[in-house]
Amino acid sequence: MSPIKPYTVKSTSITLNNAEYDKYRPFGGYDEVKKAYTPLRFAEISDELEGSGTQVNYALDSITLAMEAGIFKDSDTFVAKAFATIEDAAEFVEALRGHEYYWLNERHFYAFSHAFNCDESQMRTYPEIADFIANEI
């Protein structure tokens, strides 16, 4: 078990206070007001709300904000705590491999590199994040 050390990166703006994200909140994610995280039911989001990839951005932003808040304590349990089920994690992996953006947002990079204890040479794209998650499940 590798502890995840708290950190802060604020150069790229991320907020879940976004009208596009309202429909995803019932499926879990980070609550900015309560500073709490509910494991994502990503498979339900994908099944019920297929769309433009906004659900992938919502999941990435929720996980990133939760990581920055210190919600996830160690890398061994990160995937188990980030997603409600293995199926949710697997669905996220598939969606992330086909994500509309290839190169990582800076804050997403820092959150996931901390979660998986890796560096820039190992994680440069969203498909590479998907590979790390797939290895955990």
Side-chain angles (χ1 to χ4, degrees):
M1 175 178 359
S2 301
I4 298 175
K5 296 177 180 150
Y7 69 96
T8 304
V9 174
K10 299 291 181 190
S11 58
T12 305
S13 177
I14 290 180
T15 183
L16 298 176
N17 188 14
N18 174 331
E20 284 187 75
Y21 286 170
D22 287 346
K23 61 186 170 189
Y24 304 120
R25 283 183 231 300
F27 299 97
Y30 184 66
D31 184 320
E32 291 179 289
V33 174
K34 295 178 182 175
K35 306 291 185 219
Y37 186 85
T38 303
L40 286 165
R41 295 186 327 272
F42 194 82
E44 290 180 53
I45 291 174
S46 293
D47 290 345
E48 293 184 27
L49 301 169
E50 283 294 331
S52 64
T54 306
Q55 68 268 41
V56 175
N57 287 327
Y58 174 75
L60 289 164
D61 289 350
S62 284
I63 291 168
T64 296
L65 290 171
M67 185 68 68
E68 291 174 355
I71 300 287
F72 304 115
K73 301 299 181 199
D74 62 73
S75 58
D76 291 345
T77 59
F78 165 70
V79 172
K81 290 181 179 180
F83 300 97
T85 67
I86 297 296
E87 292 77 24
D88 292 306
E91 186 80 24
F92 181 67
V93 164
E94 290 310 309
L96 200 51
R97 285 189 173 136
H99 190 43
E100 62 186 320
Y101 300 106
Y102 188 74
W103 297 106
L104 289 175
N105 164 303
E106 176 186 22
R107 285 177 71 183
H108 295 164
F109 164 75
Y110 282 109
F112 285 92
S113 66
H114 277 78
F116 293 113
N117 238 357
C118 65
D119 64 31
E120 197 172 305
S121 68
Q122 297 168 296
M123 186 180 292
R124 296 171 304 263
T125 66
Y126 288 106
E128 287 173 340
I129 290 177
D131 292 342
F132 273 95
I133 295 171
N135 287 335
E136 293 294 316
I137 57 175

